[in-house]
Amino acid sequence: MNQAELIRALPKAELHVHIEGTFEPELMFAIAQRNRIEIPYKSVEEVKQAYNFHNLQSFLDIYYAGANVLIYEQDFYDLAWAYFEKCAEDHVVHTEIFFDPQTHTDRGIAFETVITGLKRACDDAHEKLNISSHLIMCFLRHLSEDAAFETLQQALAYKDQIIAVGLDSSEVGHPPSKFERVFAKAREAGFLVVAHAGEEGPADYVWQALDLLKVNRIDHGVRSEEDETLMQRLIAEKMPLTVCPLSNLKLCVVDDMAQHNIQRLLQQGVKVTVNSDDPSYFGGYMNDNYFAIAEALNLTTEELKQLAKNAFEASFITDAEKKMWIERIDALI
Ligand code: HPA
Ligand code: ZN
């Protein structure tokens, strides 16, 4: 088996993907047309040309605009189903999907519409594609603490359909400390918790996510390398980082894939995983992310297998399921 064949053959778990970030321009056009919504582009080509962002905020502006065409339950179903088809192609067997309810409820779309469409796609993916999944509800950190509390309140009615809460959107200027009380209430209600930290924001935000939000995983976290004491803590606590290589390249978190720190972090014993973040916007799904780092960093077979195993270990599936997938990875040669 050559390296590309190994990457394709590895069973993979995805732990960092925003469902709104899987919105392919073709589907965006089709949904805009059937919902009779104007979008500021004449063609799929024009949409793709608009994807020339160079930092998180310039990306987010376009990402939120694209989500405006999603109105009906079927739209959310179609969005998630298209992503599950990509998972099937890439042999992603388990995925933990972020969704941003506030992007939709602020436009007058009911929370119920969003979650019902997504959940129905998750159920169908399990039945028809044999892909398991969990939903993670993210708070938009550029919005207020009050707005996050309101969103948490709405989520309580769907507690059994949401495994965890997370924190995304514009990082710098919106530290984890802003959401300490909301996360405490979410944990009390029985949600697991994750947060984006150390993508564009400093290592201090990773400390805050650990100490104030008490997260089970850090999303991104690549800037942790700037703080040696933090690195020792991540290693000692086996704290997973959900790293997104193509995202980091596209948003200029790194200048060049050959300089990405995922291999250094892995070699030091940090539990890093590979993820696609917003694959429609950043140039690729799970396997594209593996291909990009394998080539730029000359990853070994053992390193690739370790990355895939880390994702199952860091996931929110049962210990028996983790063991089964890890044994399957070990059995690959
Ligand atoms: N960072 C923060 N917010 C986001 C991202 C991201 O990478 N993708 C979608 N929302
Ligand atoms: Zn993200």
Side-chain angles (χ1 to χ4, degrees):
M1 209 183 313
N2 67 30
Q3 193 169 61
E5 287 165 346
L6 172 69
I7 289 169
R8 288 194 196 94
L10 281 168
K12 286 163 293 270
E14 175 139 76
L15 307 179
H16 186 153
V17 59
H18 303 260
I19 201 63
E20 295 88 351
T22 69
F23 207 0
E24 290 289 342
E26 289 79 4
L27 183 60
M28 198 181 291
F29 256 81
I31 293 183
Q33 215 157 39
R34 77 186 187 206
N35 290 348
R36 297 200 168 81
I37 298 204
E38 292 275 339
I39 52 173
Y41 311 106
K42 287 199 201 67
S43 64
V44 166
E45 272 318 302
E46 254 189 49
V47 184
K48 288 184 181 162
Q49 275 162 21
Y51 292 180
N52 64 348
F53 16 78
H54 38 272
N55 60 32
L56 180 56
Q57 194 58 52
S58 57
F59 153 68
L60 288 169
D61 292 342
I62 289 184
Y63 160 89
Y64 294 129
N68 278 337
V69 309
L70 299 163
I71 311 279
Y72 301 107
E73 192 222 288
Q74 187 65 40
D75 303 340
F76 291 94
Y77 176 92
D78 291 346
L79 174 66
W81 182 256
Y83 165 64
F84 279 119
E85 287 185 322
K86 300 285 189 180
C87 289
E89 277 175 36
D90 278 3
H91 202 21
V92 170
V93 297
H94 175 73
T95 177
E96 302 187 353
I97 302 173
F98 296 134
F99 69 110
D100 290 341
Q102 288 161 297
T103 299
H104 314 298
T105 52
D106 283 0
R107 301 180 288 118
I109 312 297
F111 192 103
E112 182 184 15
T113 304
V114 180
I115 192 142
T116 309
L118 297 178
K119 181 64 166 64
R120 187 158 60 84
C122 291
D123 291 345
D124 279 359
H126 195 230
E127 191 184 316
K128 296 176 182 157
L129 302 173
N130 212 15
I131 297 170
S132 59
S133 58
H134 288 307
L135 292 173
I136 301 177
M137 178 184 83
C138 286
F139 302 111
L140 297 182
R141 67 201 305 159
H142 68 276
L143 299 179
S144 68
E145 182 195 30
D146 275 355
F149 268 119
E150 233 172 82
T151 303
L152 178 59
Q153 191 60 37
Q154 289 181 293
L156 292 177
Y158 305 94
K159 172 70 191 59
D160 59 331
Q161 297 177 30
I162 301 171
I163 191 128
V165 301
L167 189 62
D168 66 2
S169 189
S170 322
E171 186 182 6
V172 174
H174 302 285
S177 56
K178 179 175 167 184
F179 297 95
E180 183 176 1
R181 291 180 291 197
V182 182
F183 271 63
K185 189 163 177 205
R187 289 195 318 273
E188 251 174 54
F191 293 101
L192 295 170
V193 299
V194 299
H196 284 52
E199 177 187 18
E200 281 191 346
D204 178 52
Y205 284 19
V206 179
W207 282 108
Q208 289 188 24
L210 296 171
D211 289 334
L212 306 182
L213 306 188
K214 306 187 193 305
V215 293
N216 302 95
R217 297 196 291 251
I218 296 283
D219 296 315
H220 291 295
V222 286
R223 287 194 58 192
S224 302
E225 203 182 26
E226 295 167 19
D227 181 335
E228 184 49 36
T229 316
L230 174 59
M231 287 287 289
Q232 291 314 316
R233 174 157 177 200
L234 295 175
I235 294 163
E237 293 185 3
K238 300 187 169 61
M239 177 57 60
L241 303 187
T242 63
V243 177
C244 308
L246 287 173
S247 164
N248 294 154
L249 188 64
K250 189 84 181 177
L251 301 185
C252 305
V253 172
V254 291
D255 298 330
D256 179 352
M257 198 60 96
Q259 283 161 28
H260 201 288
N261 63 7
I262 190 168
Q263 187 180 32
R264 283 199 301 278
L265 293 169
L266 180 71
Q267 288 173 352
Q268 288 175 78
V270 181
K271 198 183 281 290
V272 283
T273 64
V274 179
N275 306 273
S276 70
D277 205 4
D278 300 281
S280 164
Y281 294 91
F282 298 152
Y285 288 78
M286 179 63 94
N287 285 356
D288 298 314
N289 276 273
Y290 267 96
F291 292 141
I293 54 172
E295 187 180 20
L297 301 169
N298 276 316
L299 296 184
T300 66
T301 297
E302 276 318 303
E303 286 171 337
L304 290 167
K305 288 167 88 171
Q306 191 60 52
L307 287 166
K309 288 196 272 186
N310 284 354
F312 287 103
E313 278 172 13
S315 73
F316 297 143
I317 59 178
T318 64
D319 286 346
E321 289 168 321
K322 290 182 186 184
K323 183 164 175 283
M324 176 194 70
W325 289 119
I326 288 164
E327 281 173 4
R328 290 215 198 168
I329 293 168
D330 280 332
L332 280 177
I333 20 159

